[in-house]
Amino acid sequence: MSDEQELGITESKEYNTGEWYAEVVQKAGLANYGPEGMSGFIVTRPRAYALWESIQNYLDGLFKDTGVQNAYFPLFIPESYLEREKEIVEGFDPEVAWVTHAGRDELEERLAVRPTSESIIAPYMAQWVRSHRDLPLRVNQWASVVRWEATETKPFFRTKEFLWQEGHTAHATHDDAWDETMTRLKQYESVYEDLLAIPVLRGAKPEHDKFPGAHTTTTVEALMPDGKSVQAGTSHHLGTSFAEAFDLTYTTEAEDEEPAHTTSWGLSWRSLGALIMTHSDDQGLVLPPTVAPEQVVIVPIWQADTQEKVLEYAEEIEAELEEAGVRVELDDRDERNPGFKFNEWELKGVPVRFEIGPNEVDDGVVTAVHRPDGEQVELDRENIAEAVVEQFDEVYAKLYAAAEENLKENVREASSRNEILGTIGQHGGYVKAPWCGKESCEEEIKEQIAAEIVMVPLDDEESEIHDGEACAVCGEPAEETAYFAKSY
Ligand SMILES: [Zn+2]
């Protein structure tokens, strides 16, 4: 097999999305599967970790601008802590990994590897909060959690251990907690729309699919090119149930003792999965310049007699871009030809390529090529650093527009059970249908085509249900609009 073939993607995104995704993750150097006997675990390679760090830096900045402080809590949670909130135990029990021994000794109490940290964070918040003056209290931790699901591994989408952040806050009133819930949801929306070039829908989970014990679970949902929805970040208004279970109370100005209203919110490396899945193509990874580890690669094209002047010109440009804060790589390897280099950097997802040959040097220009569509633009050598930033904006806009078109074309309406089934079966995507609110009506659709209600509109956003409208599944009066979709 030639180098070229080994390098290239062989699966088709359109026809074999699952295999194609796995191949991109491997060949673009993003992740490896864990050791034998540890299915469901992956090794995150530096290239993918750099992408995660971009997301982390962006989101952490938004958090800190809005009153959040980072902290860190233990990896393990005593069973008795987990049991204090009944619904948490029931919700996570089948997926919890337990530590029962330390060395050769059996532990007196089993310890859960955290599936989420409400049960260990709330008791400490309870110690820190005494009066209304201590509120709001906001902490966040960047960590990993373990949920031992027996499903097929899909790097960044489905793994037993995953990286995420979990924020936990306490407030004096229900409305304050609601404002917090929405602030975080909007920040998640911004991660996708302003950093990852992925438009999202914003909504709430139906009652039966809320976070265990929550008052309201809100979600941002991203549509993948294969027509499935990704739950891309969730923000929960927990009401007072956690505060009551963990004695998280405060004294009001009138010296009354009241339970706090709490929230929790999380965004995981599933955002990386959505990023890879949304933009990449049959040539490999495609990344927006906002997060790309290298934003520009310079590929010099020379013959023996032009090598010196081409390289010198390329090096000057590299230095100027670096000076301006652009992440740039000059590929001056002697043993590889330009064609090989083009393919390799395309596979790795570098958003803009500069091609520099003797003609460019003579004319004082640079040929820039956009990774997503191969468009070529000639840029003046002068002010190259400013010009390349404009190219980044154009590439970002192209990626966003393509994802937005996919979303717009794939939100459809249905008013009967068969229409829901037929539309999702044929096109995938979201189907909006009037719904009575009963889980049994979702079950019926789930059993037929494994699609579920991924969201309903938020209470404070316009309901589209009119008087007399009937549930598309059972015909009873409709309560809300449900978005049905298959999901990751
Ligand atoms: Zn119904």
Side-chain angles (χ1 to χ4, degrees):
M1 197 186 268
S2 77
D3 283 348
E4 244 83 4
Q5 281 168 319
E6 271 176 44
L7 202 59
I9 300 294
T10 56
E11 299 285 355
S12 151
K13 180 179 188 180
E14 190 178 352
Y15 299 106
N16 243 341
T17 312
E19 289 78 2
W20 163 86
Y21 176 82
E23 200 182 8
V24 170
V25 165
Q26 291 271 324
K27 291 195 172 170
L30 299 173
N32 292 138
Y33 293 95
E36 209 174 320
M38 275 181 59
S39 76
F41 292 84
I42 60 167
V43 173
T44 309
R45 297 183 63 182
R47 196 163 184 77
Y49 202 82
L51 295 172
W52 177 239
E53 283 176 317
S54 290
I55 294 169
Q56 239 181 347
N57 289 338
Y58 182 82
L59 194 51
D60 207 58
L62 296 180
F63 289 164
K64 284 175 180 158
D65 286 345
T66 46
V68 180
Q69 292 180 304
N70 285 332
Y72 188 77
F73 293 80
L75 169 63
F76 303 118
I77 304 177
E79 186 167 20
S80 56
Y81 278 54
L82 214 55
E83 281 174 346
R84 281 171 76 177
E85 218 296 331
K86 175 174 90 357
E87 293 183 68
I88 276 264
V89 189
E90 285 169 7
F92 287 101
D93 192 47
E95 301 172 1
V96 172
W98 294 99
V99 177
T100 57
H101 287 75
R104 290 178 187 151
D105 302 326
E106 193 170 338
L107 297 176
E108 271 176 42
E109 181 177 6
R110 294 200 295 171
L111 301 177
V113 181
R114 62 179 167 227
T116 180
S117 301
E118 280 76 7
S119 313
I120 194 155
I121 293 182
Y124 288 89
M125 288 174 73
Q127 292 180 29
W128 303 338
V129 171
R130 287 282 168 258
S131 87
H132 61 92
R133 281 180 296 274
D134 300 321
L135 298 175
L137 175 65
R138 301 181 176 98
V139 294
N140 174 64
Q141 75 172 349
W142 291 97
S144 72
V145 289
V146 170
R147 296 178 188 172
W148 211 275
E149 293 178 89
T151 49
E152 207 184 329
T153 312
K154 198 176 188 85
F156 309 117
F157 281 115
R158 287 238 172 250
T159 50
K160 291 193 175 91
E161 180 187 16
F162 58 85
L163 295 180
W164 78 342
Q165 61 68 219
E166 49 178 320
H168 300 266
T169 68
H171 306 266
T173 68
H174 180 91
D175 288 351
D176 288 353
W178 180 249
D179 290 345
E180 179 76 17
T181 305
M182 290 309 293
T183 296
R184 302 311 156 198
L185 191 69
K186 284 171 191 163
Q187 290 177 342
Y188 292 159
E189 185 178 38
S190 174
V191 166
Y192 286 92
E193 300 198 338
D194 304 325
L195 186 73
L196 304 181
I198 303 174
V200 289
L201 297 177
R202 201 160 75 188
K205 288 289 167 187
E207 279 295 306
H208 60 265
D209 195 26
K210 292 184 313 192
F211 181 78
H215 174 275
T216 308
T217 286
T218 65
T219 179
V220 286
E221 298 282 327
L223 183 64
M224 295 295 100
D226 61 353
K228 291 186 190 169
S229 185
V230 170
Q231 180 180 300
T234 48
S235 181
H236 315 285
H237 189 315
L238 300 172
T240 55
S241 63
F242 282 83
E244 280 158 10
F246 294 97
D247 298 320
L248 207 181
T249 61
Y250 70 99
T251 51
T252 64
E253 273 180 80
E255 297 291 321
D256 295 323
E257 187 94 349
E258 293 283 351
H261 300 257
T262 65
T263 77
S264 69
W265 21 276
L267 181 135
S268 78
W269 71 12
R270 191 174 261 211
S271 50
L272 271 184
L275 172 71
I276 299 161
M277 178 75 88
T278 298
H279 303 303
S280 303
D281 60 21
D282 289 354
Q283 276 67 54
L285 190 62
V286 175
L287 296 171
T290 37
V291 296
E294 310 88 3
Q295 296 169 302
V296 189
V297 60
I298 303 175
V299 179
I301 303 162
W302 65 64
Q303 303 294 332
D305 60 331
T306 53
Q307 179 168 7
E308 200 183 320
K309 78 169 180 180
V310 167
L311 261 184
E312 191 183 298
Y313 186 81
E315 280 164 2
E316 279 170 18
I317 290 173
E318 183 197 23
E320 198 170 318
L321 294 185
E322 260 171 8
E323 179 77 12
V326 174
R327 299 188 291 275
V328 55
E329 174 87 20
L330 170 61
D331 188 351
D332 57 3
R333 287 176 296 174
D334 225 349
E335 72 279 11
R336 294 296 188 194
N337 64 45
F340 181 93
K341 293 177 182 177
F342 292 172
N343 289 338
E344 186 173 302
W345 293 108
E346 278 181 5
L347 176 68
K348 288 182 169 179
V350 180
V352 175
R353 176 173 79 227
F354 279 2
E355 297 176 6
I356 295 176
N359 291 339
E360 275 83 3
V361 181
D362 293 343
D363 298 345
V365 296
V366 167
T367 300
V369 183
H370 294 180
R371 167 66 180 89
D373 59 358
E375 187 189 342
Q376 294 200 3
V377 191
E378 193 171 272
L379 306 176
D380 276 335
R381 164 72 183 83
E382 235 175 294
N383 301 320
I384 190 70
E386 281 166 41
V388 79
V389 171
E390 281 170 29
Q391 299 304 307
F392 293 161
D393 292 344
E394 281 184 29
V395 168
Y396 191 93
K398 279 180 190 174
L399 294 175
Y400 192 90
E404 194 177 35
E405 196 183 323
N406 180 48
L407 177 58
K408 276 193 180 146
E409 284 175 356
N410 286 292
V411 181
R412 299 181 177 85
E413 290 181 24
S415 54
S416 74
R417 188 176 158 283
N418 284 344
E419 219 181 328
I420 297 172
L421 295 172
T423 308
I424 295 180
Q426 193 185 345
H427 304 286
Y430 300 105
V431 170
K432 284 162 62 172
W435 175 51
C436 62
K438 285 201 295 278
E439 189 177 0
S440 55
C441 287
E442 183 196 36
E443 274 307 318
E444 240 188 276
I445 302 295
K446 216 185 244 179
E447 278 165 21
Q448 299 268 345
I449 51 166
E452 59 192 284
I453 297 173
V454 295
M455 58 174 243
V456 297
L458 284 159
D459 291 343
D460 62 345
E461 286 171 11
E462 202 185 336
S463 169
E464 294 163 41
I465 292 295
H466 307 292
D467 280 348
E469 226 170 338
C471 172
V473 183
C474 70
E476 298 286 311
E479 296 282 331
E480 50 199 340
T481 304
Y483 285 67
F484 287 87
K486 294 187 179 183
S487 85
Y488 273 94

